[in-house]
Amino acid sequence: MAQEKQTIAIIGAGLGGAAAGALLQSAGFDVKIFEQAPSFTRLGAGIHMGPNVLKIFQRIGMDRKLIDISSTPSHWFSRDGMTGEYLSRIPLKGYGATYCTVHRGDLSALQMETMAPGTVEFNKRLTRLDDNGSDVYLEFQDGTSARAAIVIGADGINSRVRETLLGAERPNYSGWVGHRAMISAEKLKKFDLTFEDCVKWWGPDRHMMVYYTTSRRDEYYYVTGVPHAAWEFDGAFVQSSREEMFEAFAGYHPVIQALIEATDDVTKWPLFNRNPLPLWSQGRMVLLGDACHPMKPHMAQGAAMAIEDAAMLTRCLQETGPNAYATAFALYEANRRERATRVQTVSNANTFLLTQEDPSWVYGYDVYAQPLQDKSVA
């Protein structure tokens, strides 16, 4: 029973939760991850993993494996969506690690390999949390239960852990949707056009971000940001269409028109966010990633912030020991809130890398090189 009470339970096996699991295990903690999905599948689409994240992945030995399967663009290009004029050419090298673009499902599969077998339990939808002071009781929809010394809420923007701490509150619809499509690079060969490794096409009120997701360069992915007055659909996303895309990007550059023409399947997702939370932890429960600072995806840093959170939280628990969890949580928030809020603000504004700028404050950051702000922790 004593060992069970020292277990750290993580709710959610997404990119932040899986990173926390691997990092905590490598630091010697007993970890169990509860994931509501019935099994692991290659879900999702493209994602950026910048040098700030690769420095963390080095600690759990998966950086080289990720680089091997990813596209590794040399630059982030910003281009005028109508004329094609280059608005910025941002080098993605020189920040202490590699910049990768990859399929989220392939990244998740690598993360699963970094943890001990049996760490993740699937089909565990959390229905109840009870922090009784000495441990936390967890109850799941399938009728099972568990106890843990600490619970980490890595369960996304609709976090049940956040709801337990702060009450039920719907996230804010941002007024924007994102279209997502994965295109076979083979289909692009018929066009006499150049399809760059990593490019964001900017219009007056919308954009399209495009990049390869594999080292083979056989998948080309785009995600948009398009104004949409109200989200009137049920569910996380709805099907869109090539026709809707042509309408949304009428008059845009021939490369964009070619991408839409090559699209077989496209979905439309509402973009939600939340106002900054008044607290990130309470008692034996703590939040990370989208559970505490969700953001629009326009910097491609949402998952990166969750993974940085996981690294800092692990570092703070190592510093204090798990019994001093309250001190660790306070230290974690003190060392993460300012950066996460800054990234959240810039991402929501959708101005990042539009013009020539130095992104070293994002990509050059090393979570392990930062002196912990609170020196009182021994």
Side-chain angles (χ1 to χ4, degrees):
M1 188 66 174
Q3 184 173 348
E4 187 179 25
K5 279 183 172 289
Q6 287 303 305
T7 297
I8 297 176
I10 300 170
I11 309 302
L15 303 184
L23 290 162
L24 286 163
Q25 273 190 351
S26 69
F29 293 99
D30 180 41
V31 179
K32 182 65 73 174
I33 301 181
F34 299 100
E35 166 56 45
Q36 66 182 15
S39 62
F40 175 79
T41 53
R42 191 179 186 257
L43 285 177
I47 195 164
H48 296 237
M49 289 283 104
N52 48 317
V53 178
L54 270 288
K55 293 166 193 168
I56 297 169
F57 286 159
Q58 288 171 5
R59 299 288 178 124
I60 50 176
M62 65 168 274
D63 57 314
R64 287 307 322 171
K65 293 178 182 177
L66 176 58
I67 291 165
D68 287 346
I69 66 169
S70 300
S71 175
T72 55
S74 64
H75 287 76
W76 168 308
F77 296 117
S78 283
R79 300 180 67 177
D80 185 287
M82 305 288 188
T83 68
E85 175 191 356
Y86 286 89
L87 307 173
S88 70
R89 293 177 172 87
I90 308 294
L92 295 175
K93 299 184 185 297
Y95 303 104
T98 305
Y99 194 107
C100 297
T101 57
V102 67
H103 191 290
R104 181 184 287 258
D106 295 340
L107 172 60
S108 291
L110 282 184
Q111 287 189 294
M112 291 295 157
E113 294 173 6
T114 64
M115 292 178 284
T119 300
V120 182
E121 290 191 23
F122 290 97
N123 204 29
K124 296 294 181 183
R125 181 181 292 274
L126 183 67
T127 56
R128 183 182 158 209
L129 273 172
D130 180 24
D131 180 354
N132 60 27
S134 58
D135 67 2
V136 184
Y137 173 76
L138 303 95
E139 201 169 87
F140 302 97
Q141 195 173 60
D142 65 357
T144 61
S145 63
R147 292 186 179 277
I150 290 169
V151 172
I152 299 171
D155 46 344
I157 193 167
N158 294 307
S159 167
R160 191 59 191 263
V161 182
R162 186 211 64 82
E163 188 176 299
T164 301
L165 297 185
L166 293 165
E169 183 182 3
R170 291 176 64 86
N172 307 316
Y173 174 58
S174 68
W176 287 55
V177 296
H179 302 88
R180 299 180 184 177
M182 192 72 76
I183 300 170
S184 166
E186 188 68 27
K187 298 190 71 169
L188 301 177
K189 290 181 179 178
K190 71 175 183 177
F191 302 100
D192 187 23
L193 294 165
T194 299
F195 297 96
E196 292 162 312
D197 286 3
C198 181
V199 55
K200 186 168 181 177
W201 298 89
W202 299 77
D205 66 346
R206 62 200 60 204
H207 68 260
M208 181 184 281
M209 181 85 218
V210 198
Y211 51 92
Y212 289 99
T213 59
T214 69
S215 57
R216 300 181 303 276
R217 295 163 61 84
D218 57 353
E219 289 180 347
Y220 204 45
Y221 170 70
Y222 69 72
V223 57
T224 74
V226 174
H228 187 89
W231 183 253
E232 63 273 26
F233 310 104
D234 291 328
F237 67 93
V238 296
Q239 286 297 127
S240 183
S241 66
R242 190 184 291 122
E243 292 69 32
E244 184 178 351
M245 290 297 298
F246 276 128
E247 183 179 346
F249 288 92
Y252 276 69
H253 193 273
V255 167
I256 293 177
Q257 303 305 315
L259 291 172
I260 296 170
E261 188 179 331
T263 299
D264 288 325
D265 182 69
V266 57
T267 52
K268 182 167 64 176
W269 302 68
L271 304 184
F272 290 105
N273 51 34
R274 290 189 186 277
N275 297 325
L277 301 185
L279 54 85
W280 287 19
S281 67
Q282 192 171 70
R284 293 177 174 269
M285 295 181 281
V286 63
L287 303 172
L288 66 74
D290 282 355
C292 64
H293 47 68
M295 59 192 73
K296 287 158 77 175
H298 305 327
M299 278 178 73
Q301 282 289 311
M305 290 304 102
I307 294 166
E308 285 185 9
D309 285 351
M312 183 59 80
L313 180 56
T314 300
R315 190 178 164 195
C316 293
L317 283 166
Q318 285 180 283
E319 184 80 8
T320 68
N323 291 331
Y325 56 84
T327 305
F329 294 168
L331 194 59
Y332 157 67
E333 183 173 344
N335 284 275
R336 286 300 299 160
R337 182 181 280 275
E338 182 180 348
R339 178 169 169 84
T341 301
R342 182 181 179 189
V343 171
Q344 186 181 38
T345 301
V346 174
S347 194
N348 289 346
N350 192 25
T351 56
F352 186 60
L353 307 188
L354 170 59
T355 57
Q356 200 69 28
E357 64 174 284
D358 179 5
S360 59
W361 70 274
V362 180
Y363 304 142
Y365 180 86
D366 183 349
V367 69
Y368 300 103
Q370 309 305 309
L372 294 177
Q373 285 184 19
D374 186 351
K375 305 294 195 228
S376 66
V377 177

